[in-house]
Amino acid sequence: MSIIKLHDKYFKTYLSEAKIATAIKSLAKQIESDCKNEIPLFIGILNGSFMFAADFIRQYKSDCEISFVKLASYQGTSSTGEIKQLVGINENLEGRTVVILEDIIDTGNTLQEIYAIFKDKKVKQLKIATLFFKPDVFKKELPIDYVGISIPDKFIVGYGLDYNGLGRNYKSIYQLTTQPKMKNIVLFGPPGAGKGTQAELLKNKYNLIHISTGDVFRYNIKNKTKLGMLAKSYMDKGDLVPDEVTIDMLKTEVGKNKDAKGFIFDGFPRTQSQAIALDKFLEEKGETISGMVALEVPENLLVERLLERGKTSGRPDDQDENKIRNRFNEYNTKTAVLKEFYQNQNKYFGVNGVGSIEEITQRLSEVIDTF
Ligand code: AMP
């Protein structure tokens, strides 16, 4: 769950996939029990209802038919103004029980058009089922037979609903929110890719707080804290420290910087559950990850770099090729899935990590400037 951007607007999670699924199941059950001994014809109103209709009929266990229509407007004569027409009805509706599937009913204007259009179709009965309903703005005296979820008057997107064409493909429902104030960057890349070096430069350039979870762990080990003792056994082998420990520590570090303009997360998240926890944590603050910027460097070059660094860094995990390989293994099996995680949110930006420090900072900045 995370804040998403569609065109110029930001949206935060409002209704989960699970909540939507429960509402649809219950709608299907109610309609099924009211339509015993007949085969209803469901009519989905495009575009918004395509996802609802597909999920709805999968929950409808008795015989049924489905069709889709689009309410198209065309300009009538100057005296009639805009006229609406249903496009796509080919079935003979006479004597049928027709159930309209609407994604959302707010003012009821569309509903009114639908009632008007069906008036002369000689159906046996016309019923209306809507997944979302806004009782506060509904102004018509028209019956709505089945309501999935009543919601306040909020602009929502996702699950078939759009904002200027975008947002229909999201699985849950999002509502409008304010623009996040922070620039939050996940600096990503395998061990030795140069994240630490670049983070130092970027934090000054953009006035951000750099949090390297590896550094925080090493600081704790040096100071022999409880956290340090716990982390040491994992780190020395090149294994990941357990998620709960790491997530708690990260939250504490973020909490220490209440006035930050944003963060560079370096070495975090490293697993999918860390990424989910981070999204949730930021969303609660009205913030989000602006993007994952990934340094892409071939593995062999990395081994060389790390062994070289091990000569001076004193880090035990940099001095032994087996430990280094294990860290790559951890990266490839657990961390690399994060690329997909952020790609799915349209927030992954790969950057060539081979070149001089300045060149790479420049490449990273070009991406960060767009956030
Ligand atoms: P780094 O300095 O980022 O290479 O991290 C060094 C070591 O710290 C890793 O090999 C892990 O043992 C531990 N570590 C750092 N960040 C994380 C994290 N996000 N999750 C789990 N372990 C971590």
Side-chain angles (χ1 to χ4, degrees):
M1 306 293 116
S2 154
I3 290 178
I4 56 167
K5 186 178 182 202
L6 302 171
H7 299 294
D8 56 327
K9 296 205 188 312
Y10 294 83
F11 298 84
K12 65 179 176 185
T13 319
Y14 179 46
L15 293 168
S16 67
E17 280 180 78
K19 278 221 172 94
I20 300 169
T22 308
I24 292 176
K25 222 175 189 166
S26 145
L27 278 176
K29 263 208 177 121
Q30 289 174 54
I31 298 176
E32 214 170 332
S33 86
D34 289 352
C35 288
K36 281 197 188 102
N37 308 322
E38 53 187 328
I39 298 178
L41 169 63
F42 294 113
I43 298 185
I45 310 293
L46 292 174
N47 291 326
S49 77
F50 73 97
M51 221 182 256
F52 164 44
D55 283 344
F56 173 85
I57 67 160
R58 271 181 284 208
Q59 293 301 330
Y60 196 88
K61 309 294 179 199
S62 311
D63 285 347
C64 62
E65 291 175 26
I66 186 154
S67 188
F68 288 89
V69 296
K70 204 167 172 139
L71 206 56
S73 17
Y74 64 90
Q75 210 58 43
T77 63
S78 55
S79 60
T80 52
E82 202 184 49
I83 294 183
K84 299 258 173 139
Q85 190 188 29
L86 278 183
V87 182
I89 288 243
N90 302 315
E91 291 83 355
N92 178 9
L93 302 179
E94 203 174 327
R96 298 291 309 263
T97 288
V98 173
V99 183
I100 299 292
L101 299 179
E102 261 285 31
D103 47 341
I104 184 162
I105 295 179
D106 44 32
T107 59
N109 288 341
T110 309
L111 184 68
Q112 193 171 34
E113 313 273 4
I114 291 168
Y115 267 111
I117 288 163
F118 274 88
K119 223 172 66 197
D120 55 1
K121 296 264 192 251
K122 297 194 184 118
V123 298
K124 180 177 159 199
Q125 51 180 345
L126 176 68
K127 297 205 166 208
I128 308 290
T130 185
L131 178 55
F132 301 113
F133 176 51
K134 292 186 180 174
D136 299 343
V137 284
F138 187 68
K139 296 195 219 86
K140 306 282 190 284
E141 295 278 317
L142 298 166
I144 300 173
D145 304 274
Y146 307 99
V147 171
I149 304 174
S150 286
I151 57 168
D153 183 22
K154 292 184 165 135
F155 185 72
I156 58 170
V157 293
Y159 198 76
L161 285 82
D162 72 311
Y163 165 54
N164 275 353
L166 297 184
R168 296 193 198 273
N169 53 327
Y170 287 90
K171 292 178 188 168
S172 28
I173 290 285
Y174 291 76
Q175 72 179 79
L176 204 55
T177 189
T178 50
Q179 177 170 1
K181 293 183 185 66
M182 291 179 168
K183 234 186 226 285
N184 289 317
I185 297 158
V186 174
L187 194 55
F188 190 63
K195 299 188 292 289
T197 310
Q198 292 299 333
E200 277 306 303
L201 297 164
L202 295 171
K203 81 169 190 193
N204 294 330
K205 181 164 181 185
Y206 292 98
N207 196 10
L208 304 172
I209 304 288
H210 173 209
I211 299 180
S212 153
T213 41
D215 284 351
V216 180
F217 282 134
R218 280 184 288 276
Y219 175 83
N220 278 277
I221 292 172
K222 205 167 128 210
N223 290 289
K224 299 201 165 53
T225 66
K226 221 169 112 196
L227 175 67
M229 294 301 101
L230 185 68
K232 188 172 180 354
S233 55
Y234 297 97
M235 285 178 71
D236 280 351
K237 284 183 275 168
D239 290 342
L240 290 188
V241 178
D243 280 342
E244 319 79 71
V245 178
T246 313
I247 292 167
D248 279 353
M249 182 196 83
L250 194 275
K251 288 183 180 173
T252 309
E253 290 301 312
V254 170
K256 286 182 190 166
N257 298 284
K258 297 240 181 311
D259 299 324
K261 287 203 159 51
F263 293 89
I264 299 176
F265 298 106
D266 162 11
F268 186 95
R270 258 177 157 97
T271 63
Q272 178 129 326
S273 54
Q274 289 180 11
I276 293 169
L278 180 60
D279 269 357
K280 189 159 170 267
F281 177 59
L282 290 175
E283 191 177 353
E284 283 162 8
K285 300 175 183 298
E287 297 296 339
T288 192
I289 290 296
S290 318
M292 165 181 264
V293 193
L295 288 170
E296 295 169 342
V297 184
E299 207 162 285
N300 283 339
L301 203 64
L302 291 172
V303 178
E304 271 173 44
R305 277 194 197 172
L306 285 172
L307 288 170
E308 199 52 41
R309 181 169 85 182
K311 289 183 193 159
T312 53
S313 72
R315 284 178 54 169
D317 59 348
D318 278 351
Q319 291 165 8
D320 172 338
E321 188 160 341
N322 286 331
K323 284 181 188 164
I324 292 176
R325 295 273 173 207
N326 186 37
R327 282 159 69 202
F328 285 138
N329 189 39
E330 287 278 71
Y331 177 78
N332 290 326
T333 53
K334 295 188 186 154
T335 312
V337 295
L338 294 174
K339 176 174 175 177
E340 202 182 319
F341 181 87
Y342 287 104
Q343 267 171 341
N344 284 340
Q345 298 186 15
N346 212 1
K347 288 182 180 174
Y348 178 87
F349 303 88
V351 169
N352 177 4
V354 185
S356 71
I357 291 177
E358 299 74 33
E359 275 167 353
I360 296 166
T361 311
Q362 179 56 30
R363 287 176 205 152
L364 291 168
S365 301
E366 279 164 22
V367 175
I368 294 170
D369 286 340
T370 66
F371 293 160

